[in-house]
Every structure is written in C-alpha cells, then in structure tokens.
Amino acid sequence: MTSSRHLVAALALFGAAGAVQGQSATIAATATVVTPITVTGSAPLAFGNVFQGVNKTIAFSDATSGRFSLTGYLNSQVAMTFTLPTTLTSGANTMPINTYDVRVNGTNSTTGTTALTVTSGTPVNSNFVAGTLFVFVGGRVQPAAAQAQGTYTATIVLAAAYTGL
Amino acid sequence: MFPAPSTRAAHVLLRLRQIGALLPLVLPAPAFAQAILVAPQSVVMSSRDRTGTVELYNPSSRAAEITIRAVYGHPTTTPDGDLTLAIVEQPDSTEPSAAGFVDAFPRRLVLQPNQRQTVRLLARPPAGLAEGEYWARLVIAARDAEAPAPPTDSTGVTIGLTLEVRTIIAVNYRNGAQRTGVQLGELSASATSDSLVLRAPMQRTGTAAWIGLTSVKLLDASGAVVASQTMQTAVYQSISPRFTFARRGLAPGQYRIAVDMTTDRPDVTQSTLLRAPPQHAETTVTIPSSGG
C-alpha cells in the first residue's frame, strides 16, 4: 500500500523528531498518494412487494434501484464485470428476472447517465475522469400468475479492475 | 540541499492534505453498503522474496464477509480495440499462470465496520519452474455478513436483490531476473463521420509484462497539438488498443498522430516497476473537405 507506507513513514518521522529534541536535524518527508479502486454496493435493487401475474419494473432512476459506487485513480480506466442473475429464488420456488437497465455516471446523479450494454460476465470499460463512478441498476421481474408466496432473492455482482496493471 | 523548514512543513502538510482529501471518497458509505478497499492494486513477488501483503479495509457501517481467490488473467484488447481483462479459470499448461501456486492467508474473513486486515500472500512455485514472469489476479469479494431484515409482509411475494462487490488486483511472480520492453507496430488511422480512430499494435518484448503510459497526440499541419490523451497501459503479450478523437471542431486537412510509450507510472510501486526504453511512432490521417 504505497500511500499508507509513505504516510506511516511520514508519521514515524514526526515521532522521531519529537524523541530527539536535544538535537537539530531536518529531513524531507514526502508521500505519494495512490488511489486504489474502492467498490461499494450502495443500495440493493429492491422491488418490494409484487402481485402474482403482474410484471414489475424498477427504473434505474427509481429510489429503490440498485446502486454501486467506485472510486479510483484519476483518468484511469476500469473494467467492470457484472454478474446479473436471471432467476430469483425462494426456497425451491423461482421467478425470472430478465431485463436490466445499467447506467453509469461520473457524478451521483441519475441525470446525464450513460447506458451500458452489459452482458453478464463480460467486462465493460469506463474511465475515472473525475475519480468516481456511480452505477445505477434497474430491472424487471415477471411473477407468474400462480407464483408461490415468499421472499425471492438473488445477488448482483460487480467486479472491478484497472485495465492498465 | 534540503528545502527550507517552512517549505518542508508546507510540503508535508500538502501531502497529508492530499491523503486527507482521499478519505471522504473512501470513508462515508451508506448504512446498508457493502464495500471493500484493497491496496495496493498490484503485488510483485519473486524467487528472492516469495511473500507479499495486501491491506483490506471495510469503510462501511456493516460487517463484510470477504473471500479471496487467485485466478489466471491479464489485460488484453477486444477485436474492436477495447481494453479488457481476460480471466481464464482453467488455463492450459502453456499459459504463464501463477494462480496455482499463489496462496492468500486468510482466504475467508469477516471485516467489521472500519476494521483493517492484512492478507499475506505466499508463492509456492513448483520445483524446477522455468525462469520468467508468471501472472495471476487476486479476486477479493465482499458481501454483507449480516442477515437481511425479514420481509414486512410474509403473506405476499417480496423481491430483493443483494449486491456483492469484487476488486481484482494483479499479482505477478518473477522467477529470476526479468526485463521488459514494448514494440509499437504499424499504426493505422482512419476518419469516420464523427471521429478519428487510431489502432496501435503493441507487442511486448523481454520476459515480463510492460507496465507504462501511452500518450497519443493529434497535431495539425503546423505541428500544434490539437488534442491528446494518455492511457495507463499494460502489455502482457500483445494488444491493439483503439484511440478515438472527436472530429468536431477540426478543420479538414492532414493531421499527424504521434504515439509515445514510457514506463513512467507514478501509481505503481517504483521498486517493482521494470524500466524500458521509450517508444515512439507516428502516422497521418486526413479529414476530407466534405463528407467522409
């Protein structure tokens, strides 16, 4: 962890200076700040309650859309790989979820987003123009007319990696 | 030789301020967030030092269940010239994979909110491993370790998709002394209706991945730079990235495109960065006076 090690070195230098007050010497302390990728799953994609036989859509801009945020090295490129489940499960029962709407933005706003053509398991690229990226995920579920009652769940995965390392 | 005390103090304060400026990007996370900070973004081990460390930090307010595994992979380009990360779960024996002999300790853990953990890496290469550089990617996955809240209505149909986040970092193992280099192939540039498109074939030379920067400049007939871009580049085998400049605002005429590749990478630990001579190549492209 380049930045941390340098920071620790800088702080250690401060401590050392305090311990040798009887002498006078100075050295330069520097720190190189390197931003690692931090991926945050900010909000789950929550459909809430649905009715049997009635499709339900959560738009990417809805308050209950799924949300990720990423921070990274300025102007670097990140490859994002999504795993988007096609089936929700509740015990032995299943329900299809077959439409996703994934958008990305440099700011935490659903206005001015760019649509990502996402294929589950295939990386898509985006640039850390301002050091941050925000991803919004909408989707549609199709409960059957005889859909069994229960809580249906699945997991959306976002994997991120710098393309230049 | 050293800066004056006031300059020194200002220098240190500036650096600490820069580090402090990062914290708001990392620390605040919503109450329901799953997050993981992983540093560094690349680890280099060698036959002289077969160990490495990765620092994990959970900036969220919920406990995160972390799993770590090594896979084979490296950056490459798609046929269209987009950079991508190629992950191969089952590489064949011809691939220089380190995934089979790099272990992480621990591989499973729970990080409480604001907790840090050092993960130790150990390379145990097979006996008689040929000299060269071997590659892996460490996949660090984080998911919510706390049970989700029970549904408010147990009589209906309720749906919720949880999130899992993964950070993928490079792990390279160098067996013996390594050298690197890159060879720029013949550039090809073309004008489309709205863009100037450049393809720059890059072939790694030497025995280890080339990690550096690619700078692409668009120059007009007078030699003035009218547009430029820089890309962090990793050439593990061969790639052919695409660079695009918008045509908007560019007058018809001939333009020169200059590509420079250097191993200047301030974001990479300098002691592990392999240096190589810079590379330069140029080509020309013409914007027609109408259409085209």
Side-chain angles (χ1 to χ4, degrees), chain B residues 184-189 198-202 216 243 257-259 280-284:
Chain B
L184 263 170
E186 186 176 351
L187 306 180
S188 62
L198 172 78
R199 293 296 293 269
M202 301 168 180
V216 183
F243 299 89
I257 300 179
V259 178
H280 177 86
E282 294 190 3
T283 191
T284 58

Side-chain angles (χ1 to χ4, degrees), chain A residues 6 33 41 67-68 90 114 118 134 141 156:
Chain A
H6 289 199
V33 179
R67 302 189 178 203
F68 295 95
S90 175
T114 300
V118 172
F134 297 87
V141 293
I156 296 174

Side-chain angles (χ1 to χ4, degrees), chain B residues 15-271:
Chain B
R15 293 302 188 188
L16 291 175
R17 229 177 268 137
Q18 287 174 326
I19 291 168
L22 288 176
L23 296 180
L25 296 175
V26 173
L27 295 178
F32 35 76
Q34 295 92 53
I36 189 68
L37 187 155
V38 182
Q41 292 296 304
S42 67
V43 176
V44 175
M45 294 183 285
S46 70
S47 45
R48 290 190 304 175
D49 182 3
R50 295 178 177 176
T51 62
T53 59
V54 175
E55 305 287 339
L56 306 182
Y57 173 60
N58 177 6
S60 75
S61 58
R62 294 174 69 90
E65 181 182 341
I66 311 287
T67 58
I68 302 169
R69 68 189 182 103
V71 296
Y72 174 64
H74 59 77
T76 184
T77 42
T78 66
D80 291 333
D82 292 322
L83 282 167
T84 187
L85 184 66
I87 295 289
V88 182
E89 294 284 351
Q90 300 289 337
D92 63 41
S93 58
T94 64
E95 300 285 354
S97 173
F101 60 80
V102 169
D103 285 329
F105 303 97
R107 278 180 287 187
R108 282 182 175 275
L109 64 145
V110 173
L111 269 186
Q112 298 301 323
N114 299 315
Q115 186 183 2
R116 298 174 189 278
Q117 170 81 43
T118 298
V119 173
R120 304 202 178 279
L121 305 182
L122 175 62
R124 287 184 283 205
L129 183 71
E131 288 206 351
E133 188 178 66
Y134 295 81
W135 309 322
R137 297 278 147 168
L138 212 59
V139 181
I140 299 115
R143 59 191 310 168
D144 200 339
E146 300 175 27
T152 54
D153 179 7
S154 61
T155 61
V157 177
T158 306
I159 300 171
L161 283 89
T162 57
L163 307 180
E164 177 178 318
V165 296
R166 298 177 183 171
T167 303
I168 303 174
I169 68 169
V171 176
N172 293 355
Y173 177 80
R174 293 173 183 161
N175 193 30
Q178 305 299 317
R179 58 190 167 77
T180 191
V182 68
Q183 184 72 48
L184 263 170
E186 186 176 351
L187 306 180
S188 62
S190 60
T192 66
S193 59
D194 59 357
S195 305
L196 297 179
V197 180
L198 172 78
R199 293 296 293 269
M202 301 168 180
Q203 174 70 49
R204 193 209 77 198
T205 61
T207 57
W210 184 94
I211 308 293
L213 283 178
T214 301
S215 169
V216 183
K217 293 187 178 74
L218 181 67
L219 303 96
D220 64 16
S222 71
V225 176
V226 295
S228 66
Q229 53 186 278
T230 301
M231 183 181 77
Q232 296 170 344
T233 310
V235 187
Y236 278 68
Q237 291 168 335
S238 63
I239 61 175
S240 183
R242 183 186 74 245
F243 299 89
T244 304
F245 292 101
R247 270 181 60 171
R248 190 170 51 196
L250 297 177
Q254 190 175 72
Y255 290 81
R256 193 156 52 93
I257 300 179
V259 178
D260 288 282
M261 300 181 73
T262 69
T263 47
D264 297 331
R265 281 292 292 267
D267 60 314
V268 175
T269 303
Q270 298 299 295
S271 60

